[in-house]
Amino acid sequence: MEEQLAIQTAESFDRARRIYDLGGHSESYARIMLTSSLIRDVPKGTKFLGKNDAGEEVAGSSYEDYETGTEVIRVYYETSEFCQVGGLPEVEVNLEGCFASNNVIEIGETVIDENEIFIGTSYVPYDYSYEPISDNRNGRTLAGF
């Protein structure tokens, strides 16, 4: 944002305002559209696994609680370090750690036995789509302070 302000043009002030309002580096999340609705409730913090465009694993967690039947969900990235979009200028956007635009995301499900003892986590796959430039956002922005 400081770099944009230092340029001191109308366009750079607009870019700085977008960064102020939309962020770019903190609490990055993806807003994804599932091709089929959730078959169970997904509590906030549930683990998600997906792939980036290079086929590398990308991890995240549920932004909030989602009920069975939901088709649009938000997933916090495990780290904001590698998926940086928000209001950043195009030359600063980093999609390396973002989910691929159309792929499969796996949603974690806690497995417990009949004695309610944790056994592990299984993952349920869902096809999804989203637009990495417009659907990756930030949960924390300067405007939010």
Side-chain angles (χ1 to χ4, degrees):
M1 188 169 80
E2 291 175 5
E3 291 174 9
Q4 296 302 316
L5 292 171
I7 296 170
Q8 297 188 6
T9 65
E11 294 83 16
S12 69
F13 287 132
D14 287 344
R15 288 190 296 267
R17 182 60 188 218
R18 281 185 50 80
I19 296 168
Y20 178 84
D21 289 337
L22 302 175
H25 298 284
S26 187
E27 295 186 11
S28 298
Y29 68 86
R31 182 181 171 275
I32 63 175
M33 285 63 67
L34 303 174
T35 58
S36 61
S37 59
L38 291 174
I39 59 172
R40 65 174 180 83
D41 291 350
V42 175
K44 179 179 181 175
T46 297
K47 297 297 180 194
F48 283 69
L49 295 175
K51 304 271 186 200
N52 65 10
D53 282 332
E56 301 164 330
E57 186 172 282
V58 175
S61 61
S62 178
Y63 189 92
E64 59 192 349
D65 293 335
Y66 294 104
E67 295 180 357
T68 301
T70 301
E71 293 180 352
V72 178
I73 59 175
R74 294 184 289 176
V75 181
Y76 266 128
Y77 289 103
E78 192 171 271
T79 176
S80 296
E81 191 173 323
F82 303 112
C83 184
Q84 300 165 334
V85 182
L88 296 175
E90 190 174 322
V91 297
E92 294 181 34
V93 168
N94 178 6
L95 298 175
E96 180 183 325
C98 301
F99 295 118
S101 58
N102 296 300
N103 212 323
V104 174
I105 195 163
E106 296 179 307
I107 302 175
E109 181 176 276
T110 301
V111 179
I112 57 173
D113 68 12
E114 64 277 353
N115 296 315
E116 298 198 19
I117 296 175
F118 175 77
I119 295 175
T121 304
S122 66
Y123 288 88
V124 178
Y126 286 87
D127 291 332
Y128 73 89
S129 65
Y130 89 125
E131 172 51 48
I133 295 297
S134 61
D135 290 327
N136 280 306
R137 303 175 184 177
N138 295 91
R140 183 179 300 155
T141 67
L142 290 173
F145 283 106

